[in-house]
Amino acid sequence: MTRLSFTNLPVAPAVDPKALSVGIVHLGIGAFHRAHQAVVTERAAVETGETRWGITGVSQRSTTVRDQLAPQDGLYSVLERGLGDPSIQVIGSIRDVLTAPEDPEAVVARIADPAVSVVTLTVTEKGYRAAGDGLDLDDPEIRADLAGRPPRTVVGQLAAAITRRDEPLTILSCDNLVANGPFLRKLVTDYLEALGKVPPAFEGTRFPASMVDRIVPATTDADRDDAARMLGVRDEAVVVAEPFLQWVIEDEFAGARPAWERGGAVLTSDVAPWEQAKLRMLNATHSMLAYLGALRGYETIAEAVRDEELGGLARQLMTEDVIPTLTPPDGLDLAAYGATVLERFENPALKHRTRQVAMDGSVKLPVRMLGTVRDRLATGAEPNLISLAVAAWMVYVLRTPDLDDPQAARLQTAVANITDPTKLVDALLSVETVFTPDLRNSEPFRALLINHVTALTR
């Protein structure tokens, strides 16, 4: 079958991709970005007619996305799967893709280009190479960048580009990190200070916070076949997503930006209440269902949440432990939001795999779950359901020999040859990169974990 390209477009786009110039660089061009920020950027271009906001995507690891998009002139489709019939849309906002390991200098040069005024990031929690609240200056990749090689870490790339720029730059994190904008500013500051020079352009650089939400499961061969039937051409870069899409952005920019609010984003002076609701309700529940579901042998989140017991536990987690810790954003009913979260998880068309959601637990737990634990303990409440979610992660670590986690070796060493629930809890609580002293020394939290691990391993 003929492949998707400029010469094989099933429908003429509302904005001609060939007319777009690059004004955005995106670090971490995976499926989520292509189903989220790139879509909103395209919608904004359709509404405004602006052509200066094409995107250069950067892959930090492999050439896969570039190899998929290059033969298709950067075009790809988003296949939306809801409860009704699926729909499909061709997206043309990504104009080229760079692969950092092949040419790290090209990445820095593109960010430093005066035509670029915005950098966005989806590099996952581990891509920031943080230790606690700051940059991990002992990380070997960070040390290699600081030593003067063409930078291969995202923080190194940003710092090197800022050093070359005269024009202001906005750097917009779209990862699930608490106060992700200020956090990224701190990492870049740490890097520049370790380098021994903070360039004048850094003072004008802005790091707005943001919150993103859309379920984007891994694309399967069946999805590619369905897209081909719907488009009439083959798309090797198709991404799958639910109909729901949310992007909340702090309105704090250094210069020009896309009119993302015209594409469906929310611009606000305070992202924090939205962010906390999403991280603690949606993301924490997603992780809980992933660990409990995987332990029961469920392949997908939809299967797990349709389990009457697990679905009930997920609902209790939000209503009993999470909602009492939150301040609702204006216009958001938290109970209704929680119900919507479970409805989205139940969507059978989105085969979001439990093992995929369970990845990188050591960096997800602190931002998704442990804040709720602390807040509940601080009020004297018993964080029973959120402790169950943490306990499920502990048992998952114990029972998963091919654990996909940046700290896999350390975690597996900690739990090696352990069969006793109390010893398992104590071994993982001692991992200081996950659990801070206040939680390690909390007897109520430890007791809850032991009870839950005992029940889960029985």
Side-chain angles (χ1 to χ4, degrees):
M1 180 180 285
T2 303
R3 194 159 172 181
L4 178 66
S5 68
F6 283 152
T7 56
N8 296 300
L9 267 173
V11 179
V15 174
D16 183 0
K18 290 179 285 187
L20 295 177
S21 59
V22 171
I24 303 169
V25 173
H26 182 82
L27 304 181
I29 186 167
F32 184 82
H33 168 70
R34 286 180 283 149
H36 191 279
Q37 297 93 32
V39 171
V40 177
T41 301
E42 176 129 328
R43 290 175 181 172
V46 169
E47 289 295 317
T48 64
E50 287 190 303
T51 59
R52 62 172 296 189
W53 300 116
I55 301 168
T56 287
V58 177
S59 172
Q60 298 293 337
R61 293 182 293 178
S62 75
T63 64
T64 300
V65 176
R66 183 197 64 193
D67 295 344
Q68 289 174 339
L69 290 177
Q72 300 182 176
D73 297 317
L75 302 175
Y76 67 96
S77 58
V78 177
L79 177 61
E80 289 190 0
R81 293 194 182 278
L83 297 179
D85 293 334
S87 63
I88 197 162
Q89 177 188 6
V90 175
I91 302 296
S93 54
I94 296 173
R95 290 296 80 234
D96 64 342
V97 176
L98 303 176
T99 303
E102 287 186 346
D103 194 349
E105 167 57 28
V107 176
V108 175
R110 186 58 58 89
I111 299 172
D113 184 343
V116 169
S117 63
V118 178
V119 176
T120 54
L121 299 87
T122 51
V123 295
T124 75
E125 292 94 331
K126 61 186 175 183
Y128 290 83
R129 300 183 182 273
D133 294 332
L135 187 65
D136 184 359
L137 294 172
D138 292 324
D139 182 282
E141 294 297 310
I142 292 291
R143 290 170 62 184
D145 283 1
L146 286 169
R149 74 170 181 186
R152 297 186 181 182
T153 67
V154 295
V155 173
Q157 290 161 357
L158 293 170
I162 292 168
T163 300
R164 298 185 193 180
R165 289 181 64 97
D166 296 320
E167 303 78 16
L169 183 66
T170 298
I171 302 174
L172 176 60
S173 171
C174 301
D175 282 297
N176 288 318
L177 298 164
V178 176
N180 52 15
F183 179 70
L184 181 53
R185 171 182 280 280
K186 175 65 165 58
L187 300 186
V188 177
T189 301
D190 288 350
Y191 185 96
L192 290 169
E193 290 178 348
L195 203 58
K197 53 182 178 182
V198 178
F202 186 60
E203 183 178 353
T205 303
R206 294 291 178 264
F207 293 81
S210 78
M211 186 276 282
V212 298
D213 189 5
R214 194 175 209 190
I215 297 174
V216 182
T219 302
T220 66
D221 288 338
D223 295 324
R224 294 184 187 92
D225 291 341
D226 286 348
R229 284 192 292 270
M230 297 171 72
L231 292 172
V233 293
R234 188 77 182 174
D235 178 7
E236 295 297 337
V238 60
V239 293
V240 182
E242 64 173 333
F244 182 92
L245 188 156
Q246 187 178 43
W247 193 6
V248 182
I249 307 169
E250 181 185 9
D251 195 359
E252 177 69 16
F253 289 82
R257 64 167 178 84
W260 278 318
E261 67 275 24
R262 300 282 298 275
V266 173
L267 273 291
T268 179
S269 61
D270 188 7
V271 172
W274 297 88
E275 173 186 77
Q276 286 287 75
K278 192 256 183 173
L279 284 171
R280 295 190 178 190
M281 295 186 72
L282 183 142
N283 292 120
T285 305
H286 215 200
S287 290
M288 179 194 203
L289 288 167
Y291 300 127
L292 291 174
L295 293 174
R296 289 199 176 183
Y298 292 125
E299 183 180 351
T300 68
I301 295 294
E303 292 170 344
V305 77
R306 288 198 298 270
D307 179 303
E308 187 173 344
E309 181 182 4
L310 298 191
L313 290 170
R315 188 172 294 103
Q316 284 180 270
L317 170 67
M318 289 189 282
T319 57
E320 295 180 16
D321 270 353
V322 176
I323 287 178
T325 72
L326 297 175
T327 300
D330 289 341
L332 182 63
D333 182 315
L334 291 177
Y337 176 68
T340 299
V341 165
L342 294 182
E343 288 173 6
R344 292 166 59 198
F345 289 168
E346 289 174 4
N347 183 352
L350 295 177
K351 300 186 183 300
H352 215 174
R353 294 179 292 112
T354 52
R355 285 179 62 85
Q356 180 187 7
V357 179
M359 290 168 51
D360 306 336
S362 68
V363 288
K364 289 178 177 176
L365 253 68
V367 296
R368 296 184 177 193
M369 298 184 185
L370 300 186
T372 297
V373 174
R374 288 189 189 90
D375 287 351
R376 294 292 279 161
L377 290 171
T379 63
E382 184 177 80
N384 185 46
L385 276 301
I386 194 69
S387 296
L388 171 61
V390 176
W393 169 75
M394 291 180 163
V395 178
Y396 182 82
V397 168
L398 178 69
R399 292 186 175 175
T400 308
D402 56 341
L403 187 68
D404 193 338
D405 191 288
Q407 299 188 62
R410 181 174 187 181
L411 296 172
Q412 290 173 325
T413 298
V415 305
N417 302 315
I418 288 180
T419 56
D420 178 71
T422 299
K423 291 181 179 178
L424 176 63
V425 169
D426 288 340
L428 289 176
L429 280 178
S430 69
V431 179
E432 70 277 2
T433 51
V434 180
F435 297 98
T436 48
D438 60 318
L439 295 181
R440 282 199 298 277
N441 298 329
S442 170
E443 280 304 318
F445 181 46
R446 178 175 177 269
L448 285 168
L449 290 174
I450 292 169
N451 288 339
H452 288 311
V453 168
T454 301
L456 290 169
T457 55
R458 185 170 296 147

